[in-house]
Short mmCIF file of all heavy atoms in Angstrom, two decimals:
data_model
loop_
_atom_site.label_atom_id
_atom_site.label_comp_id
_atom_site.label_asym_id
_atom_site.label_seq_id
_atom_site.Cartn_x
_atom_site.Cartn_y
_atom_site.Cartn_z
N ILE A 367 -2.86 16.51 15.45
CA ILE A 367 -2.06 17.59 15.89
C ILE A 367 -2.93 18.81 16.15
O ILE A 367 -3.77 19.18 15.24
CB ILE A 367 -0.86 17.97 14.97
CG1 ILE A 367 0.10 16.85 14.87
CG2 ILE A 367 -0.18 19.30 15.36
CD1 ILE A 367 1.16 17.04 13.85
N THR A 368 -2.80 19.45 17.30
CA THR A 368 -3.63 20.71 17.64
C THR A 368 -2.71 21.79 17.77
O THR A 368 -1.64 21.71 18.43
CB THR A 368 -4.48 20.50 18.88
OG1 THR A 368 -5.35 19.37 18.72
CG2 THR A 368 -5.26 21.76 19.12
N VAL A 369 -2.97 22.93 17.12
CA VAL A 369 -2.20 24.12 17.17
C VAL A 369 -3.03 25.28 17.72
O VAL A 369 -4.13 25.54 17.09
CB VAL A 369 -1.60 24.58 15.82
CG1 VAL A 369 -0.76 25.73 15.90
CG2 VAL A 369 -0.86 23.37 15.18
N ARG A 370 -2.72 25.88 18.80
CA ARG A 370 -3.42 27.02 19.35
C ARG A 370 -2.59 28.32 19.16
O ARG A 370 -1.50 28.40 19.59
CB ARG A 370 -3.70 26.78 20.87
CG ARG A 370 -4.47 25.44 21.13
CD ARG A 370 -4.82 25.30 22.64
NE ARG A 370 -5.35 24.00 22.78
CZ ARG A 370 -6.73 23.73 22.67
NH1 ARG A 370 -7.50 24.76 22.26
NH2 ARG A 370 -7.20 22.52 22.85
N GLY A 371 -3.25 29.22 18.47
CA GLY A 371 -2.50 30.52 18.13
C GLY A 371 -3.31 31.72 18.45
O GLY A 371 -4.52 31.54 18.85
N ARG A 372 -2.79 32.83 18.25
CA ARG A 372 -1.50 33.10 17.75
C ARG A 372 -0.45 33.06 18.76
O ARG A 372 -0.62 33.68 19.88
CB ARG A 372 -1.55 34.44 17.02
CG ARG A 372 -0.16 34.94 16.47
CD ARG A 372 -0.34 36.24 15.74
NE ARG A 372 0.89 36.60 15.15
CZ ARG A 372 1.84 37.45 15.72
NH1 ARG A 372 1.52 37.88 16.97
NH2 ARG A 372 2.93 37.72 15.10
N SER A 373 0.62 32.41 18.57
CA SER A 373 1.79 32.31 19.48
C SER A 373 2.82 33.45 19.16
O SER A 373 3.17 33.62 17.98
CB SER A 373 2.48 30.96 19.50
OG SER A 373 1.57 29.95 19.87
N ALA A 374 3.30 34.12 20.19
CA ALA A 374 4.35 35.10 20.04
C ALA A 374 5.70 34.32 20.17
O ALA A 374 6.20 33.97 21.17
CB ALA A 374 4.31 36.12 21.15
N LEU A 375 6.22 33.90 18.96
CA LEU A 375 7.43 33.07 18.89
C LEU A 375 8.61 33.87 19.28
O LEU A 375 8.81 35.06 18.86
CB LEU A 375 7.56 32.47 17.54
CG LEU A 375 6.38 31.55 16.96
CD1 LEU A 375 6.75 31.01 15.64
CD2 LEU A 375 5.97 30.48 18.04
N LYS A 376 9.47 33.23 20.07
CA LYS A 376 10.73 33.85 20.49
C LYS A 376 11.91 32.99 19.98
O LYS A 376 11.79 31.80 19.86
CB LYS A 376 10.80 33.95 22.08
CG LYS A 376 9.73 34.70 22.63
CD LYS A 376 9.85 36.20 22.41
CE LYS A 376 8.72 36.94 23.18
NZ LYS A 376 8.78 38.40 22.87
N ALA A 377 13.01 33.59 19.80
CA ALA A 377 14.18 32.86 19.32
C ALA A 377 14.53 31.70 20.17
O ALA A 377 14.41 31.70 21.39
CB ALA A 377 15.35 33.85 19.22
N ALA A 378 14.96 30.64 19.47
CA ALA A 378 15.31 29.39 20.22
C ALA A 378 16.51 28.71 19.51
O ALA A 378 16.83 29.08 18.38
CB ALA A 378 14.10 28.42 20.17
N GLU A 379 17.14 27.83 20.28
CA GLU A 379 18.16 26.97 19.68
C GLU A 379 17.61 25.58 19.61
O GLU A 379 17.28 24.94 20.58
CB GLU A 379 19.43 27.00 20.49
CG GLU A 379 20.56 26.18 19.96
CD GLU A 379 21.92 26.42 20.63
OE1 GLU A 379 22.08 27.46 21.20
OE2 GLU A 379 22.78 25.58 20.39
N VAL A 380 17.45 25.03 18.40
CA VAL A 380 16.78 23.78 18.16
C VAL A 380 17.51 22.93 17.15
O VAL A 380 18.35 23.36 16.48
CB VAL A 380 15.33 24.08 17.67
CG1 VAL A 380 14.46 24.70 18.78
CG2 VAL A 380 15.32 24.94 16.45
N VAL A 381 17.07 21.69 17.16
CA VAL A 381 17.63 20.67 16.22
C VAL A 381 16.58 20.08 15.30
O VAL A 381 15.52 19.62 15.79
CB VAL A 381 18.36 19.54 16.97
CG1 VAL A 381 18.95 18.54 15.99
CG2 VAL A 381 19.44 20.10 17.80
N GLY A 382 16.79 20.05 14.02
CA GLY A 382 15.81 19.44 13.07
C GLY A 382 16.19 17.95 12.93
O GLY A 382 17.34 17.59 12.63
N GLU A 383 15.22 17.09 13.24
CA GLU A 383 15.50 15.69 13.27
C GLU A 383 15.26 14.94 11.90
O GLU A 383 15.60 13.82 11.71
CB GLU A 383 14.59 15.06 14.33
CG GLU A 383 14.88 15.49 15.75
CD GLU A 383 16.28 14.97 16.27
OE1 GLU A 383 16.84 14.08 15.67
OE2 GLU A 383 16.77 15.54 17.22
N ASP A 384 14.57 15.62 10.98
CA ASP A 384 14.39 15.09 9.64
C ASP A 384 14.18 16.22 8.68
O ASP A 384 14.16 17.36 9.09
CB ASP A 384 13.22 14.12 9.59
CG ASP A 384 11.91 14.77 10.11
OD1 ASP A 384 11.33 15.59 9.40
OD2 ASP A 384 11.43 14.35 11.25
N ILE A 385 14.10 15.93 7.39
CA ILE A 385 14.06 17.00 6.37
C ILE A 385 12.92 17.95 6.62
O ILE A 385 13.23 19.21 6.76
CB ILE A 385 13.92 16.43 4.96
CG1 ILE A 385 15.14 15.59 4.60
CG2 ILE A 385 13.72 17.52 3.92
CD1 ILE A 385 14.99 14.80 3.26
N ARG A 386 11.75 17.51 6.67
CA ARG A 386 10.62 18.44 6.83
C ARG A 386 10.46 19.09 8.19
O ARG A 386 10.06 20.27 8.30
CB ARG A 386 9.24 17.75 6.42
CG ARG A 386 9.39 16.89 5.10
CD ARG A 386 9.84 17.71 3.90
NE ARG A 386 10.09 16.83 2.80
CZ ARG A 386 10.57 17.25 1.60
NH1 ARG A 386 10.85 18.51 1.40
NH2 ARG A 386 10.79 16.32 0.62
N ALA A 387 10.91 18.39 9.15
CA ALA A 387 10.92 19.04 10.60
C ALA A 387 11.87 20.14 10.56
O ALA A 387 11.63 21.31 11.09
CB ALA A 387 11.28 17.91 11.61
N ALA A 388 13.11 19.94 10.05
CA ALA A 388 14.06 21.02 9.97
C ALA A 388 13.54 22.22 9.24
O ALA A 388 13.69 23.39 9.63
CB ALA A 388 15.37 20.56 9.34
N THR A 389 12.82 21.94 8.09
CA THR A 389 12.21 22.98 7.31
C THR A 389 11.16 23.78 8.10
O THR A 389 11.09 25.05 8.00
CB THR A 389 11.58 22.51 6.04
OG1 THR A 389 12.58 21.52 5.45
CG2 THR A 389 11.37 23.60 5.03
N ALA A 390 10.35 23.08 8.90
CA ALA A 390 9.30 23.70 9.73
C ALA A 390 9.98 24.65 10.75
O ALA A 390 9.51 25.75 11.00
CB ALA A 390 8.51 22.64 10.51
N LEU A 391 11.21 24.27 11.30
CA LEU A 391 11.89 25.13 12.21
C LEU A 391 12.38 26.40 11.56
O LEU A 391 12.43 27.47 12.16
CB LEU A 391 12.97 24.38 12.85
CG LEU A 391 12.56 23.05 13.60
CD1 LEU A 391 13.81 22.41 14.34
CD2 LEU A 391 11.38 23.23 14.51
N VAL A 392 12.84 26.27 10.30
CA VAL A 392 13.20 27.46 9.50
C VAL A 392 12.06 28.41 9.41
O VAL A 392 12.16 29.69 9.66
CB VAL A 392 13.73 27.06 8.16
CG1 VAL A 392 13.93 28.32 7.23
CG2 VAL A 392 15.08 26.33 8.27
N ILE A 393 10.83 27.94 9.10
CA ILE A 393 9.67 28.83 8.98
C ILE A 393 9.38 29.44 10.30
O ILE A 393 9.02 30.63 10.33
CB ILE A 393 8.51 27.97 8.48
CG1 ILE A 393 8.74 27.59 6.98
CG2 ILE A 393 7.19 28.74 8.58
CD1 ILE A 393 7.80 26.70 6.32
N ALA A 394 9.47 28.67 11.38
CA ALA A 394 9.18 29.26 12.74
C ALA A 394 10.25 30.31 13.05
O ALA A 394 9.85 31.47 13.57
CB ALA A 394 9.27 28.15 13.76
N ALA A 395 11.47 30.22 12.72
CA ALA A 395 12.52 31.14 12.98
C ALA A 395 12.27 32.44 12.23
O ALA A 395 12.58 33.55 12.67
CB ALA A 395 13.84 30.52 12.65
N LEU A 396 11.74 32.27 10.93
CA LEU A 396 11.45 33.46 10.16
C LEU A 396 10.46 34.37 10.78
O LEU A 396 10.41 35.64 10.66
CB LEU A 396 11.00 33.06 8.77
CG LEU A 396 12.05 32.40 7.84
CD1 LEU A 396 11.38 31.91 6.58
CD2 LEU A 396 13.10 33.43 7.47
N ALA A 397 9.50 33.73 11.65
CA ALA A 397 8.45 34.45 12.29
C ALA A 397 8.76 34.89 13.71
O ALA A 397 8.04 35.63 14.32
CB ALA A 397 7.16 33.65 12.23
N ALA A 398 9.90 34.34 14.25
CA ALA A 398 10.17 34.58 15.69
C ALA A 398 10.87 35.83 15.92
O ALA A 398 11.61 36.36 15.03
CB ALA A 398 11.03 33.33 16.21
N GLU A 399 10.77 36.37 17.12
CA GLU A 399 11.48 37.51 17.48
C GLU A 399 12.89 37.15 17.97
O GLU A 399 13.08 36.24 18.77
CB GLU A 399 10.86 38.26 18.65
CG GLU A 399 11.49 39.53 19.16
CD GLU A 399 10.83 40.14 20.40
OE1 GLU A 399 9.64 39.75 20.67
OE2 GLU A 399 11.54 40.97 21.07
N GLY A 400 13.98 37.80 17.45
CA GLY A 400 15.31 37.48 17.84
C GLY A 400 16.00 36.58 16.86
O GLY A 400 15.45 36.26 15.79
N THR A 401 17.20 36.10 17.23
CA THR A 401 17.98 35.26 16.38
C THR A 401 18.01 33.75 16.87
O THR A 401 18.44 33.53 17.92
CB THR A 401 19.42 35.75 16.25
OG1 THR A 401 19.43 37.13 15.78
CG2 THR A 401 20.32 34.89 15.40
N SER A 402 17.50 32.97 16.01
CA SER A 402 17.37 31.53 16.36
C SER A 402 18.60 30.72 15.80
O SER A 402 19.12 31.17 14.69
CB SER A 402 16.07 30.93 15.89
OG SER A 402 15.04 31.60 16.39
N THR A 403 18.92 29.67 16.42
CA THR A 403 19.96 28.75 15.89
C THR A 403 19.30 27.39 15.62
O THR A 403 18.78 26.80 16.51
CB THR A 403 21.12 28.61 16.82
OG1 THR A 403 21.67 29.83 17.03
CG2 THR A 403 22.22 27.59 16.35
N ILE A 404 19.49 26.85 14.33
CA ILE A 404 18.88 25.66 13.93
C ILE A 404 20.08 24.74 13.59
O ILE A 404 20.82 25.04 12.71
CB ILE A 404 17.89 25.78 12.83
CG1 ILE A 404 16.76 26.75 13.18
CG2 ILE A 404 17.35 24.44 12.38
CD1 ILE A 404 15.89 27.04 12.05
N ARG A 405 20.11 23.61 14.30
CA ARG A 405 21.09 22.52 13.93
C ARG A 405 20.37 21.38 13.17
O ARG A 405 19.17 21.30 13.24
CB ARG A 405 21.86 22.10 15.18
CG ARG A 405 22.50 23.26 15.93
CD ARG A 405 23.40 22.79 17.01
NE ARG A 405 23.92 23.92 17.79
CZ ARG A 405 24.90 24.73 17.41
NH1 ARG A 405 25.50 24.47 16.23
NH2 ARG A 405 25.26 25.76 18.12
N GLY A 406 21.22 20.50 12.57
CA GLY A 406 20.64 19.43 11.83
C GLY A 406 20.36 19.86 10.43
O GLY A 406 19.57 19.34 9.69
N THR A 407 21.23 20.84 9.95
CA THR A 407 21.01 21.25 8.54
C THR A 407 21.49 20.21 7.53
O THR A 407 21.24 20.34 6.33
CB THR A 407 21.83 22.56 8.22
OG1 THR A 407 23.24 22.34 8.56
CG2 THR A 407 21.30 23.70 9.17
N TYR A 408 22.14 19.14 8.02
CA TYR A 408 22.39 18.01 7.18
C TYR A 408 21.05 17.51 6.49
O TYR A 408 21.02 17.24 5.28
CB TYR A 408 22.96 16.88 8.02
CG TYR A 408 22.84 15.49 7.38
CD1 TYR A 408 23.70 15.07 6.38
CD2 TYR A 408 21.88 14.61 7.88
CE1 TYR A 408 23.56 13.77 5.84
CE2 TYR A 408 21.75 13.32 7.32
CZ TYR A 408 22.56 12.92 6.36
OH TYR A 408 22.42 11.68 5.78
N HIS A 409 20.02 17.52 7.32
CA HIS A 409 18.72 17.14 6.73
C HIS A 409 18.22 18.05 5.68
O HIS A 409 17.64 17.63 4.68
CB HIS A 409 17.62 16.89 7.84
CG HIS A 409 18.05 15.77 8.78
ND1 HIS A 409 17.98 14.46 8.32
CD2 HIS A 409 18.35 15.76 10.05
CE1 HIS A 409 18.29 13.64 9.41
NE2 HIS A 409 18.56 14.45 10.41
N LEU A 410 18.38 19.38 5.93
CA LEU A 410 17.99 20.31 4.88
C LEU A 410 18.75 20.03 3.52
O LEU A 410 18.16 20.09 2.48
CB LEU A 410 18.31 21.77 5.35
CG LEU A 410 17.39 22.35 6.36
CD1 LEU A 410 17.90 23.76 6.75
CD2 LEU A 410 15.95 22.52 5.87
N ARG A 411 20.01 19.77 3.64
CA ARG A 411 20.84 19.54 2.46
C ARG A 411 20.45 18.21 1.75
O ARG A 411 20.74 18.05 0.52
CB ARG A 411 22.25 19.67 2.79
CG ARG A 411 22.69 21.09 3.14
CD ARG A 411 24.17 21.21 3.35
NE ARG A 411 24.51 20.53 4.58
CZ ARG A 411 25.71 19.88 4.71
NH1 ARG A 411 26.56 19.82 3.76
NH2 ARG A 411 26.04 19.32 5.92
N ARG A 412 19.90 17.27 2.56
CA ARG A 412 19.42 16.09 1.89
C ARG A 412 18.23 16.34 0.96
O ARG A 412 18.10 15.66 0.01
CB ARG A 412 18.93 15.03 2.94
CG ARG A 412 20.02 14.28 3.66
CD ARG A 412 19.47 13.21 4.54
NE ARG A 412 18.59 12.37 3.72
CZ ARG A 412 17.35 12.05 4.12
NH1 ARG A 412 16.76 12.47 5.29
NH2 ARG A 412 16.55 11.29 3.27
N GLY A 413 17.38 17.32 1.29
CA GLY A 413 16.21 17.55 0.55
C GLY A 413 16.12 18.80 -0.24
O GLY A 413 15.35 18.90 -1.24
N TYR A 414 16.97 19.79 0.08
CA TYR A 414 16.89 21.02 -0.55
C TYR A 414 18.26 21.46 -1.01
O TYR A 414 19.19 21.60 -0.21
CB TYR A 414 16.32 22.16 0.30
CG TYR A 414 14.97 21.85 0.86
CD1 TYR A 414 14.78 21.31 2.14
CD2 TYR A 414 13.79 22.18 0.04
CE1 TYR A 414 13.53 20.97 2.61
CE2 TYR A 414 12.46 21.91 0.61
CZ TYR A 414 12.41 21.35 1.85
OH TYR A 414 11.13 21.11 2.36
N GLY A 415 18.50 21.74 -2.31
CA GLY A 415 19.81 22.10 -2.75
C GLY A 415 20.27 23.49 -2.38
O GLY A 415 21.43 23.76 -2.11
N SER A 416 19.33 24.40 -2.33
CA SER A 416 19.69 25.85 -2.10
C SER A 416 18.48 26.59 -1.43
O SER A 416 18.34 27.80 -1.71
CB SER A 416 20.06 26.51 -3.41
OG SER A 416 19.02 26.44 -4.36
N LEU A 417 17.79 25.95 -0.53
CA LEU A 417 16.66 26.66 0.15
C LEU A 417 17.16 27.80 0.90
O LEU A 417 16.54 28.89 0.86
CB LEU A 417 15.96 25.65 1.05
CG LEU A 417 14.83 26.30 1.95
CD1 LEU A 417 13.66 26.74 0.93
CD2 LEU A 417 14.23 25.26 2.86
N LEU A 418 18.20 27.70 1.69
CA LEU A 418 18.70 28.82 2.52
C LEU A 418 19.16 29.94 1.66
O LEU A 418 18.73 31.09 1.94
CB LEU A 418 19.75 28.26 3.51
CG LEU A 418 19.29 27.32 4.54
CD1 LEU A 418 20.45 26.86 5.37
CD2 LEU A 418 18.15 27.80 5.32
N PRO A 419 19.99 29.76 0.63
CA PRO A 419 20.31 30.85 -0.18
C PRO A 419 19.11 31.49 -0.91
O PRO A 419 19.10 32.72 -1.10
CB PRO A 419 21.27 30.21 -1.29
CG PRO A 419 21.84 29.07 -0.56
CD PRO A 419 20.73 28.56 0.28
N LYS A 420 18.10 30.77 -1.23
CA LYS A 420 16.91 31.35 -1.85
C LYS A 420 16.22 32.25 -0.90
O LYS A 420 15.74 33.29 -1.24
CB LYS A 420 15.95 30.18 -2.31
CG LYS A 420 16.44 29.51 -3.54
CD LYS A 420 15.47 28.31 -3.90
CE LYS A 420 16.03 27.48 -5.02
NZ LYS A 420 15.11 26.29 -5.36
#
Side-chain angles (χ1 to χ4, degrees):
I367 293 173
T368 301
V369 184
R370 300 181 186 277
R372 175 177 184 265
S373 297
L375 302 184
K376 302 290 185 180
E379 183 167 341
V380 292
V381 177
E383 298 290 346
D384 56 73
I385 294 174
R386 311 306 171 182
T389 316
L391 305 186
V392 169
I393 291 174
L396 291 171
E399 178 184 344
T401 300
S402 300
T403 299
I404 303 171
R405 304 190 186 279
T407 58
Y408 159 79
H409 291 294
L410 284 177
R411 292 183 290 144
R412 282 189 52 231
Y414 302 95
S416 56
L417 178 64
L418 296 178
K420 288 176 186 177

